[in-house]
Amino acid sequence: MPPILHVAAIHAEAPAGGAARFIVGQDHAGRWVAVEVHGRAGGLFRSRDAAVHFAAYETGHRADAVSVSPDRVELRL
């Protein structure tokens, strides 16, 4: 079973500063998820492209602000 990325774990590794960063990946049901590293934003999406598009928009299209994870990503509400 692949590892699961939890927002709390991502938060601990998040860089200092106010720059929003997103992790994009699939949850346990295969849905695409975009999660802001501090847990302040996120969502479920129909496709990888839609999740990346949302994350890119939310981060001002900064090239280094969105990461696609090969690990399972869970959106915690």
Side-chain angles (χ1 to χ4, degrees):
M1 176 184 284
I4 301 171
L5 295 177
H6 295 284
V7 173
I10 296 168
H11 177 73
E13 299 171 10
R21 291 192 53 230
F22 278 79
I23 304 294
V24 173
Q26 288 184 292
D27 68 5
H28 68 281
R31 296 173 292 220
W32 285 97
V33 177
V35 180
E36 196 267 335
V37 296
H38 296 106
R40 293 180 274 201
L44 297 173
F45 299 89
R46 291 181 186 239
S47 68
R48 177 186 182 274
D49 288 343
V52 170
H53 178 78
F54 168 79
Y57 175 80
E58 289 294 313
T59 59
H61 298 279
R62 289 191 325 270
D64 63 341
V66 179
S67 298
V68 178
S69 175
D71 299 328
R72 200 164 87 185
V73 177
E74 296 293 334
L75 177 64
R76 303 284 185 204
L77 301 176

